[in-house]
Amino acid sequence: MKEKEILLTVKERMGISELNEMQRQALDAWKSGGGDLVLYSPTGTGKTLAFALCVLQALKPPMQQLQAVILAPSRELVMQTAEILRQLASGYKVTPCYGGHDVADEKTSLAVTPDVIVATPGRLLDHQNRGHIDLRGTRLLVLDEMDKSLELGFEDEMRRLLKHMPRLNRRILASATVLYPVPEYVRLHNATTINMLGQGEQPSERITVHQVMADSKDKLDTLRQLLLTLGGGKTIVFANYRESVERIHQYLLKNRIDAGIYHGALEQQDREQAVAMLNNGSVTVLVSTDLASRGLDIDTVEHIVHYHLPVSEQAYIHRNGRTARIDATGHAYVITAPAEQLPEWVAIDGPMELDPAEKMPRALMATLYFQAGKKEKLSRGDIMGFIAGNGGIEASAIGRIDVRDHYSLAAVPRSSAQAVLKNLQNARIKGKKVRISIKSS
């Protein structure tokens, strides 16, 4: 694709009229170099768009032949990257592959060879071994979050995958963390390195860090008081263990705080729905392990709460990276128990005085769950028209709509959700009866 066409598409479909310095440098280096590209830039600065621009610039017209593979270490990052490419790569087939859902659906999608595959390493290797895809013709490889993708636990998978791509002639490696040295088996060639980690205003400089002193080792009541003091705003609460996340989540629900939950033991669909409900305003708080610190597409997070101190500086950086993205500002709150010492890499801007309100405002929206999605030929437009035509509310009152493979979510005002659901119970969407319910957090 031509650069002028790419930038016009970025403006029209993503509302971005001007690339930032890192994105411009990456695209210029990619066009002029002819070799590989290594891109280091802080979390939240738009690395995904930067390498997506390079991929688009390298794509030849669609030819039912695999041209590029993008590997990411998590399902969430795969889905986010695939969505961005689908917005921008009109006319090209972009297929995401990741664990946690039916492999048969992906096999069907791969029956017609995509132009671009976005995948987790393990899932892509599984498809290769089953004969669902032939990677031998791949010319371009992107490794996103390469510090995670190339760490020792993934080495065997990555080595085997790269052996299936003997014709690679260009590579892009992207990360918020410097990886040195890059493993030899990646076979970097004539690489240009762009390192923006120490340049300009960093996201951490746009985050105000507050220390919140707990009265006891058990921090639950302090967390409740903190959330009541904040009074709303999209918030992610990080804890170190799944059991702690479950306990915090149940405590918040018991205290009538609209909270979602996110950790690795949940089914993929439950994790997707938790993020969707935070984005559409059906919950205001997401309680999570560090799994949510990378790769999630969450709009405008205002508050990050460290219920537990992170286990490392990198974990701390990635947690805080969920807020103050691009040019926004944000706040982080570190809850410390008596005698708990802060690591030297946690720089506090000041203590937080708690002044809790009597109760937490309820989330403004509620989520309708439709037991049908893309595979049942439903679109956002279908659901919007169905609710507006039958639900008894104006189209302008309907919030975000997310359509997945076999289910869909639509946000409606909480105050009218029960009435809307009742109005829809006997209606048909595209001539079919679909089971609908209100999704709880």
Side-chain angles (χ1 to χ4, degrees):
M1 295 178 67
K2 296 180 180 179
E3 181 179 345
K4 186 176 180 181
E5 177 186 354
I6 294 170
L7 296 181
L8 181 61
T9 304
V10 169
K11 183 177 181 179
E12 291 177 346
R13 301 190 181 181
M14 301 185 72
I16 298 174
S17 57
E18 187 175 349
L19 302 182
N20 64 30
E21 178 64 19
M22 177 270 294
Q23 292 161 346
R24 170 49 60 191
Q25 283 195 35
L27 185 56
D28 288 346
W30 182 252
K31 289 189 304 176
S32 62
D36 297 336
L37 176 64
V38 179
L39 177 60
Y40 297 118
S41 190
T43 298
T45 53
K47 286 190 297 298
T48 303
L49 179 57
F51 69 68
L53 295 173
C54 299
V55 170
L56 292 172
Q57 200 273 332
L59 289 179
K60 297 178 180 178
M63 58 184 74
Q64 291 193 1
Q65 179 178 323
L66 183 59
Q67 299 190 53
V69 169
I70 301 173
L71 295 178
S74 71
R75 306 164 188 172
E76 291 75 16
L77 199 52
V78 165
M79 290 186 288
Q80 176 185 329
T81 302
E83 183 61 29
I84 289 175
L85 278 168
R86 281 171 167 167
Q87 289 182 59
L88 301 178
S90 180
Y92 291 89
K93 184 179 181 184
V94 178
T95 299
C97 299
Y98 52 89
H101 69 151
D102 195 345
V103 72
D105 285 341
E106 292 183 353
K107 179 183 177 182
T108 301
S109 296
L110 293 170
V112 176
T113 304
D115 299 283
V116 181
I117 289 178
V118 188
T120 53
R123 190 61 162 228
L124 185 58
L125 188 59
D126 184 42
H127 282 300
Q128 169 69 34
N129 292 340
R130 291 172 185 250
H132 298 164
I133 192 69
D134 185 354
L135 299 174
R136 287 177 297 178
T138 309
R139 300 285 185 173
L140 171 60
L141 173 67
V142 179
L143 297 181
D144 193 13
E145 299 278 11
M146 66 168 173
D147 59 310
K148 195 76 174 175
S149 298
L150 298 177
E151 67 184 9
L152 291 179
F154 291 97
E155 181 176 357
D156 184 53
E157 282 184 350
M158 293 301 301
R159 282 181 179 275
R160 285 187 285 160
L161 267 177
L162 288 170
K163 284 182 179 179
H164 289 297
M165 303 182 203
R167 299 177 186 173
L168 281 179
N169 57 24
R170 299 195 78 178
R171 301 156 190 80
I172 302 173
L173 279 61
S175 179
T177 305
V178 173
L179 180 67
Y180 184 82
V182 174
E184 288 187 12
Y185 65 82
V186 178
R187 306 194 307 274
L188 278 180
H189 174 70
N190 193 25
T192 299
T193 298
I194 297 175
N195 189 342
M196 307 294 287
L197 293 176
Q199 300 183 25
E201 184 185 46
Q202 302 299 302
S204 60
E205 296 171 14
R206 301 193 301 272
I207 300 173
T208 304
V209 181
H210 312 265
Q211 184 174 17
V212 181
M213 302 296 296
D215 294 330
S216 65
K217 186 176 180 181
D218 190 334
K219 303 174 183 179
L220 283 176
D221 187 60
T222 302
L223 173 63
R224 181 186 64 84
Q225 292 186 55
L226 171 60
L227 294 175
L228 291 175
T229 299
L230 299 179
K234 204 171 291 181
T235 303
I236 302 180
V237 177
F238 284 105
N240 290 346
Y241 314 105
R242 293 173 183 173
E243 296 78 7
S244 300
V245 167
E246 296 276 0
R247 178 170 175 258
I248 294 166
H249 179 241
Q250 289 301 315
Y251 177 84
L252 295 182
L253 294 182
K254 183 179 178 181
N255 283 273
R256 296 184 60 79
I257 295 174
D258 295 312
I261 184 170
Y262 192 96
H263 60 65
L266 296 173
E267 294 291 332
Q268 176 64 18
Q269 179 170 315
D270 293 330
R271 286 156 55 182
E272 292 173 358
Q273 291 173 12
V275 174
M277 291 175 70
L278 184 66
N279 273 329
N280 72 22
S282 296
V283 299
T284 55
V285 179
L286 183 68
V287 187
S288 178
T289 59
D290 282 334
L291 185 63
S293 67
R294 294 181 185 232
L296 293 189
D297 185 14
I298 300 177
D299 305 326
T300 323
V301 176
E302 296 176 39
H303 308 294
I304 298 296
V305 178
H306 302 274
Y307 183 87
H308 290 142
L309 290 174
V311 296
S312 68
E313 182 176 8
Q314 280 306 116
Y316 179 68
I317 290 170
H318 282 291
R319 285 181 180 186
N320 286 349
R322 293 297 91 201
T323 189
R325 298 181 71 79
I326 311 299
D327 295 319
T329 59
H331 294 266
Y333 306 85
V334 182
I335 303 178
T336 53
E340 191 171 21
Q341 298 296 312
L342 289 174
E344 60 181 11
W345 32 263
V346 175
I348 298 296
D349 293 306
M352 177 77 177
E353 296 294 331
L354 299 181
D355 184 19
E358 289 189 12
K359 62 181 181 179
M360 187 80 162
R362 296 301 307 273
L364 295 177
M365 307 297 281
T367 294
L368 298 180
Y369 175 89
F370 289 73
Q371 201 167 315
K374 294 176 184 176
K375 300 297 183 180
E376 290 73 36
K377 309 300 183 184
L378 280 191
S379 68
R380 288 186 179 93
D382 294 330
I383 294 172
M384 172 70 79
F386 174 69
I387 298 174
N390 301 279
I393 59 173
E394 298 291 331
S396 59
I398 302 170
R400 177 168 171 154
I401 297 173
D402 292 276
V403 182
R404 301 291 184 175
D405 284 350
H406 294 292
Y407 73 91
S408 304
L409 305 174
V412 297
R414 180 178 294 273
S415 58
S416 55
Q418 290 290 348
V420 172
L421 178 64
K422 183 177 180 180
N423 291 336
L424 297 178
Q425 288 299 332
N426 296 315
R428 293 179 178 269
I429 181 168
K430 298 186 76 171
K432 298 178 181 179
K433 189 75 182 298
V434 173
R435 185 175 297 177
I436 308 169
S437 59
I438 294 177
K439 178 71 180 170
S440 65
S441 56

